[in-house]
Amino acid sequence: MRILLVEDDLRVASVMKSMLVRRGYQVEHAATAKAAVEAAPCDLVLLDLSLPDGDGIDVCRALRNRDDNLAIIAVTARSDERDKVNGFRVGADDYVVKPFSMAELQLRIEALLRRAARGVAARQTREIGPLRIDFTAREVSVDAKPVTLTRKEFDILASLARQPGVAVTRERILLDVWQTTWSGRHTLEVHIASLRAKLGHPDLVRTVRGVGYRLQAELQAE
């Protein structure tokens, strides 16, 4: 999952990029409006509206005109309601006011990407390495062999499979599968252990320390 981070404050950009990379995203940084508009295609843009060579509103408009499916989150110190309205009018999908927590930003990114992925997941299967998932039939196979999962195990796998290669927080998985976070860490770990055993490839579901879990997009050759 590629993210374009448009931020002119190099200190802030460094911290955000480090945290995003840790969660499994590929991040390209652009410090100017010109660099943002000329950047390679991506899946999501985190866009500061106050840039040294132009207005982020204009950048947002240009990016939206180029790609109607691109996910854009305005991340800015501008808290005026008029700025928010303008941001949404030119194509922003979400608007986050600085200062913010990385936990909040992560949840907003996940929510936005999941909305985009939900339509795809609902109408087709997905193949990730040796893993094949039919979201509609709720069927799973590994190396072309059927794998029988419980309802919770399938839901956990589906939660991870919507963003392969990206770290999904424990809280997000608990909300997806149990619709609450009360079930706790141990409950999730037990289900993850069972899921790994049934898939037969322990490295398919990787633990991301301090964050949650990631479904490996590619397995290393043995």
Side-chain angles (χ1 to χ4, degrees), residues 109-169:
I109 290 172
E110 288 180 358
L112 188 54
L113 293 178
R114 290 169 67 81
R115 284 202 299 270
R118 190 172 294 122
V120 174
R123 65 178 181 269
Q124 58 181 269
T125 59
R126 191 157 208 171
E127 295 186 4
I128 306 164
L131 177 67
R132 184 178 186 275
I133 306 172
D134 186 326
F135 291 90
T136 304
R138 296 179 66 87
E139 294 177 347
V140 175
S141 64
V142 176
D143 296 322
K145 298 178 181 178
V147 177
T148 301
L149 301 179
T150 66
R151 182 169 63 87
K152 296 296 186 188
E153 290 166 354
F154 182 89
D155 289 343
I156 291 171
L157 182 61
S159 180
L160 296 172
R162 292 189 181 100
Q163 298 180 62
V166 173
V168 181
T169 63

Side-chain angles (χ1 to χ4, degrees), residues 54-67:
D55 194 327
I57 291 292
D58 295 328
V59 174
C60 184
R61 182 185 293 109
L63 293 175
R64 175 59 67 219
N65 288 339
R66 188 170 67 191
D67 185 353

